[in-house]
Amino acid sequence: MPIETRVRAADGTVSGTAAELGAEVAAVPVRSGPDGPVAPAAEIAGLLPFGLDELLSLHRAKGEAGEITSAHVPVDGRVRELLLYGVGEARPADLRKAGAALARRGRGRTALVAGVPDGDLAAFAEGALLASYRFTLGTPSGPGPLGELVVLTEAGPAAGADALERGTARARAAARARDLANTPSGEKDPSWLADQAAAVAADAGLGIRVRDEKELAEGGFGGLLAVGAGSARPPRLIELTYVPDGTPDRHVVLVGKGITFDTGGLQLKPSAGMTTMKTDMAGGGTVIAVMGALRALGVRARVTGLVAAAENMPSGSAMRPGDVITHFGGRTSEVLNTDAEGRLVLADALAYAAAGLDADAVVDVATLTGAAKVALGLRHGALFASDDALAAALTTAGDAAGEPLWRLPLVDDYRAALDSDVADLANLGRGGYGAGAITAALFLREFAGDRPWAHLDIAGPGRATSDDAEITRGATGYGTRLLLEWLA
């Protein structure tokens, strides 16, 4: 994993622990307040030749989450950097952002000792670790990540240990999802993705079954076969199984889009639109990463993860506009656009889940439509759901995890846009309805069965163009922490 920073809890004072560990940086929290920022403990004030209020006023600090004010102070005969870091109102989102800011400020340092206020310590750890993430296949440039973040709380190290473990597990799962999506597609094909899933299964005590192209043909998975037909690297259906100790409280199926590279097929994408397509399997990477963290987090549900993996390439054997596909279970779809391929592979996986997995709920995750990105931008995922309770639970989990969702409607009147003259439905909406994200969700609903089902379109937040708090440029791992919050 490319998170090299370690987070651990310790006991003592900020200045005392910094001296004991030889840490170059010490950090104390500053809360925002109606009368201005609330200065930290007298222990730190005694190290300064001026008042803390004066320092905060000089820098016009407000105590907002992620804000950092710096000074140099003598600690045990050596000069240390003192960071007064804003934690806002110490809500989970504030602490996540504060942890990320400290980790970024600590780059190149061996150790940083931070006092952390009462609150969601797991969120603080998540922010720090995810901001330390980096992925490069070349020679790293600039300072390396912070070596160790030592956390001090009023309750002491024992009280914070579980929260730090939980935050670390979620952050490392999100980092795994980022790794999978950031890997170049020259290395990453459906078989490679299946191998990664097998390694995760071995580490996390999961069951795994991988269907190759022969088994897909025998099983009637026509969507996967059609999308993968143009590539020399054939498709796979990856099935991971997690069974908790004791009696499971429910059975959840997660379905991920695993298009390891998307050229658009015969209806080729413009070159600029193809440069990010190594991350078109971000939904599948999220499912694999979530499955790998379930046991460490003690999730009580039985969970099945399905990743429909294929490479969408143009060639003489590729699917053509006008082709009719027979999906798992027998429903047919007409291909109006070969670049609307993600829904074709998801349809197979959803139909398989509906027919044989007897789930209490099904959730699919996919970088599915540019329309969702246009509607909601880069920080919110689009949520569609057949069940209000499931939609509410996922929305609440997204807010808590820092991966927000916005529910969009499944407009029944728009179903006519998917009518086909030659098949059960078409893979692209037409007839002037617009609403590309909604019609794509309506297509998936045709295969989801009568179980509570939700569709997360993560085309916007699945990748980022710049660093921002715990988000790093490239694949974000969006959905991993959200789903783990929901399941746990």
Side-chain angles (χ1 to χ4, degrees):
M1 291 290 183
I3 292 182
E4 300 170 33
T5 301
R6 300 178 303 279
V7 178
R8 68 178 177 89
D11 202 0
T13 63
V14 170
S15 59
T17 305
E20 177 187 339
L21 297 177
E24 304 100 316
V25 188
V28 293
V30 179
R31 290 178 179 266
S32 61
D35 300 321
V38 181
E43 173 217 347
I44 297 298
L47 300 174
L48 296 169
F50 41 75
L52 286 171
D53 290 343
E54 293 178 81
L55 179 61
L56 294 171
S57 177
L58 175 66
H59 289 276
R60 298 180 181 178
K62 298 179 181 178
E64 294 175 344
E67 178 186 77
I68 291 182
T69 298
S70 174
H72 288 84
V73 298
V75 177
D76 198 30
R78 294 180 59 185
V79 175
R80 313 284 183 186
E81 184 178 16
L82 170 66
L83 303 180
L84 306 181
Y85 74 102
V87 295
E89 298 175 19
R91 297 168 300 190
D94 295 332
L95 292 176
R96 191 176 292 113
K97 190 172 185 178
L102 281 185
R104 292 189 191 281
R105 185 60 179 261
R107 284 176 176 170
R109 305 287 192 169
T110 302
L112 187 157
V113 176
V116 182
D118 290 339
D120 191 339
L121 194 56
F124 180 87
E126 279 179 27
L129 290 170
L130 288 174
S132 302
Y133 175 92
R134 61 178 179 174
F135 184 94
T136 180
L137 299 177
T139 302
S141 59
L146 170 66
E148 184 175 49
L149 177 59
V150 180
V151 173
L152 305 178
T153 63
E154 290 185 7
D162 286 346
L164 288 180
E165 287 181 12
R166 188 167 64 253
T168 298
R170 293 197 303 224
R172 294 200 178 280
R176 187 193 298 277
R178 291 179 183 182
D179 284 352
L180 293 171
N182 281 327
T183 298
S185 294
E187 177 181 358
K188 174 176 61 188
D189 66 357
S191 179
W192 180 92
L193 195 60
D195 289 343
Q196 301 305 304
V200 169
D203 288 342
L206 307 176
I208 183 169
R209 177 180 179 182
V210 177
R211 291 173 174 83
D212 60 17
E213 64 272 32
K214 181 175 182 292
E215 291 175 284
L216 292 174
E218 291 171 349
F221 293 89
L224 271 160
L225 292 168
V227 173
S231 174
R233 308 193 290 182
R236 296 287 186 268
L237 179 63
I238 304 162
E239 182 173 353
L240 293 164
T241 306
Y242 166 77
V243 180
D245 297 332
T247 303
D249 57 18
R250 55 180 168 156
H251 181 206
V252 172
V253 174
L254 305 178
V255 180
K257 173 185 171 184
I259 300 298
T260 55
F261 194 76
D262 181 20
T263 65
L266 291 180
Q267 288 165 293
L268 205 64
K269 292 179 182 290
S271 59
M274 219 181 293
T275 55
T276 59
M277 285 300 103
K278 69 180 181 181
T279 66
D280 205 26
M281 42 57 66
T286 290
V287 169
I288 292 171
V290 167
M291 296 298 297
L294 296 175
R295 200 167 300 283
L297 290 170
V299 169
R300 298 300 315 141
R302 179 164 68 100
V303 186
T304 302
L306 302 174
V307 179
E311 187 175 61
N312 188 24
M313 300 290 282
S315 74
S317 59
M319 66 176 175
R320 296 159 292 272
D323 283 358
V324 173
I325 295 168
T326 301
H327 293 278
F328 182 91
R331 290 182 68 79
T332 58
S333 63
E334 180 185 9
V335 179
L336 296 184
N337 192 316
T338 63
D339 195 21
E341 85 300 328
R343 66 200 69 182
L344 298 176
V345 301
L346 289 172
D348 276 358
L350 287 170
Y352 169 70
L357 294 184
D358 193 26
D360 295 299
V362 178
V363 179
D364 74 74
V365 191
T367 51
L368 204 64
T369 68
K373 182 177 179 180
V374 170
L376 298 176
L378 301 180
R379 293 308 294 264
H380 281 72
L383 165 65
F384 299 87
S386 65
D387 181 86
D388 290 342
L390 177 59
L394 288 168
T395 300
T396 299
D399 290 341
E403 295 183 329
L405 295 167
W406 191 266
R407 191 177 183 184
L408 295 177
L410 289 162
V411 183
D412 288 325
D413 288 348
Y414 295 174
R415 171 58 181 82
L418 299 174
D419 287 345
S420 167
D421 295 333
V422 296
D424 291 318
L425 69 167
N427 82 324
L428 192 71
R430 56 183 174 180
Y433 286 86
I438 294 175
T439 55
L442 289 170
F443 180 93
L444 296 179
R445 188 178 69 173
E446 295 286 316
F447 298 88
D450 57 3
R451 308 280 178 176
W453 158 77
H455 161 56
L456 310 184
D457 191 334
I458 64 168
R463 61 182 74 93
T465 57
S466 61
D467 294 349
D468 180 19
E470 78 272 20
I471 299 300
T472 56
R473 184 176 179 178
T476 64
Y478 180 94
T480 306
R481 291 177 290 144
L482 182 166
L483 290 172
L484 288 173
E485 178 74 22
W486 174 59
L487 289 166

